[in-house]
Amino acid sequence: MMDDVIAPATAEQLVAARSRARGLPAWPGPFPATLDEAYAVQAAASALWCETRGDTLAGVKVGRILGEQAITWGADRFIGPMFAGSVQSAQPGADAVLPVIAGGSAALECEIVMVLGQDAPAGRESLDPAALRAMVAACHIGIEVAGNPVADIGALGPLASVAAFGNNMGLLLGPAIPGWESLDLDALPCEAIIDGAVVGAGSGAKLPGGVWTALAFAFQAAADRGIALRRGALISTGAVTGVHVMAAGQSGLADFGALGSLPFVVRAA
């Protein structure tokens, strides 16, 4: 396990960089060697962020671990914290401002976001599909800003993404999906558009097992890490069109068809 001193020291540098919107050209300190070590840094950084910024946990994002890395670490997903101060609601007729850190990393992810109607199980238990649906009060279209103060974090692999705030910089919560209870959420189409070009298209069917499997994973991973997901918590279930690099000065749209569109501009934090 990563040293009890090293994890907080790395967390301090990550929090300082995010607080000052300052990019980090390289990983700050010893690199985590295991998934547990990466989560230890995440926990330390999350606690320090909330303490120093007066912020709270709004929920978690679910990210992907791909290919050989999924085999290596025994998981094809990970979770990361979403802080209340970085969640914004889409306003009709207005472009949302997506923040990025100059010298860091930023990507657009179009997602289905679930709102819990009751507290998630405190223990690591499996829920059948009906029980999972019963936990959810609402589903929304949304955008995750997969951002970080660490430059080119994707090239460092999933342990870096896990450790550095789960590679989350913010969430744009779009309109609620009407009648979601009777819909196949994995079949809802979306296009990601940046500077007028379609950079990705897809649906929840792109995710292993779909969005409900992502929710089940979030519950189990949070229980494993001692993270309490209370009623009202937001779960961003994964990128349905892929992960699309973006930079300050760009603009775009997450187009969910009949469910609505989320226009945005990208600006330096």
Side-chain angles (χ1 to χ4, degrees):
M1 177 66 87
M2 181 171 276
D3 187 277
D4 289 342
V5 174
I6 293 174
T10 302
E12 286 176 7
Q13 295 187 68
L14 291 170
V15 169
R18 179 166 172 156
S19 298
R20 299 167 186 163
R22 174 175 55 86
L24 294 171
W27 185 258
F31 196 79
T34 67
L35 199 54
D36 282 342
E37 290 186 0
Y39 274 116
V41 177
Q42 181 191 113
S46 297
L48 184 59
W49 177 267
C50 289
E51 177 186 350
T52 59
R53 304 287 294 188
D55 214 338
T56 57
L57 186 72
V60 297
K61 59 79 64 80
V62 180
R64 292 285 311 282
I65 301 178
L66 302 173
E68 293 288 333
Q69 295 278 8
I71 297 171
T72 298
W73 305 118
D76 63 2
R77 288 175 163 95
F78 66 89
I79 59 169
M82 297 193 299
F83 302 113
S86 62
V87 175
Q88 58 178 311
S89 295
Q91 302 300 316
D95 290 351
V97 176
L98 305 186
V100 302
I101 294 177
S105 304
L108 168 71
E109 297 189 5
C110 306
E111 312 224 354
I112 301 296
V113 184
M114 298 181 180
V115 184
L116 298 189
Q118 53 187 289
D119 294 354
R124 197 180 200 277
E125 58 186 84
S126 296
L127 299 175
D128 63 32
L132 275 175
R133 286 177 175 269
M135 299 290 298
V136 174
C139 294
H140 294 247
I141 59 173
I143 290 174
E144 184 203 350
V145 181
N148 214 280
V150 181
D152 199 16
I153 196 166
L156 298 178
L159 297 187
S161 293
V162 171
F165 303 105
N167 198 30
N168 174 265
M169 187 71 181
L171 177 74
L172 175 63
L173 189 66
I177 300 172
W180 65 268
E181 299 93 335
S182 60
L183 296 176
D184 178 1
L185 295 180
D186 291 334
L188 301 177
C190 181
E191 283 189 338
I193 300 168
I194 297 179
D195 286 346
V198 176
V199 294
S203 69
K206 277 194 170 183
L207 306 173
V211 297
W212 293 107
T213 299
L215 178 65
F217 176 85
F219 285 168
Q220 294 186 346
D224 287 346
R225 304 295 164 185
I227 299 170
L229 297 175
R230 303 299 187 191
R231 179 181 179 184
L234 304 171
I235 312 295
S236 194
T237 56
V240 299
T241 69
V243 180
H244 315 292
V245 173
M246 59 184 182
Q250 293 185 311
S251 62
L253 190 72
D255 185 357
F256 286 86
L259 298 178
S261 298
L262 301 175
F264 62 85
V265 295
V266 187
R267 292 183 185 162

